[in-house]
Amino acid sequence: MIFDKLERMGTYRGLHANLDTAVDFLLSHNLEELPMGRTEILGERVFLNKMEAQALPASEKKFEIHRKYMDIQIDVHGSEQVETGDVSSFTCESFSEKDDIGFGECPAAASCTLAPGSFTICMAGEPHKPGILAGPDDRLVKCVIKVRVEEVL
């Protein structure tokens, strides 16, 4: 997991061509002005989902994992804890190939507090648990940018 300030987003250019597209989009758009729902950036390679969510205690959340996409998670309003898990101990209980998401359990390896002005990048294959309650207000408005890292040949 990468955790940093949005003002430093440009330093992550060069890791993957699709990530570069996401970085350019983030540096040129105001996320507060985007509509709720899906925003196309580069078809199925890069797209953004803006949503309302409710943060929950860690015990009520499961780790999630993706095989084809990395996630860039950004809170527009509210704050949440995000944990990353020990992939070597991850036990996947269910996985949807169609939605590229699996849920399961593993020990937490690290965590950060995500709030407006910061972001996390959770790599494909990296268990992560977003949406953990970080304070008294459980309401979130967040953007998740899906960045495809496994290309279809």
Side-chain angles (χ1 to χ4, degrees):
M1 174 172 59
I2 295 171
F3 172 67
D4 208 340
K5 298 289 184 191
L6 277 172
E7 63 200 35
R8 292 182 27 82
M9 178 60 81
T11 64
Y12 297 95
R13 281 193 184 97
L15 296 176
H16 192 282
N18 290 340
L19 180 59
D20 291 352
T21 300
V23 168
D24 291 343
F25 180 88
L26 287 169
L27 293 176
S28 63
H29 289 79
N30 182 338
L31 299 181
E32 290 189 29
E33 294 175 359
L34 293 177
M36 291 295 199
R38 184 175 169 133
T39 297
E40 295 290 330
I41 300 170
L42 187 61
E44 290 301 310
R45 290 181 174 178
V46 183
F47 57 93
L48 180 146
N49 289 313
K50 184 174 180 181
M51 66 197 82
E52 294 180 349
Q54 178 184 12
L56 298 169
S59 61
E60 296 181 30
K61 305 281 297 176
K62 293 211 179 267
F63 280 92
E64 61 184 62
I65 197 165
H66 313 288
R67 295 179 181 154
K68 299 175 185 171
Y69 289 88
M70 68 172 74
D71 284 354
I72 303 172
Q73 303 214 8
I74 302 167
D75 287 346
V76 178
H77 296 288
S79 62
E80 64 186 297
Q81 284 290 117
V82 179
E83 292 181 351
T84 186
D86 177 4
V87 68
S88 66
S89 300
F90 182 73
T91 303
C92 192
E93 298 167 1
S94 63
F95 193 88
S96 167
E97 292 291 338
K98 177 182 174 274
D99 297 323
D100 188 47
I101 190 167
F103 295 97
E105 294 295 339
C106 64
S111 70
C112 63
T113 301
L114 188 60
S118 60
F119 69 92
T120 64
I121 300 176
C122 300
M123 302 298 180
E126 179 179 39
H128 53 287
K129 187 190 292 190
I132 300 171
L133 193 61
D137 189 358
D138 64 353
R139 295 170 293 149
L140 301 170
V141 175
K142 66 185 296 177
C143 293
V144 179
I145 298 94
K146 305 296 286 184
V147 178
R148 184 147 182 150
V149 293
E150 179 192 275
E151 294 302 323
V152 177
L153 299 177

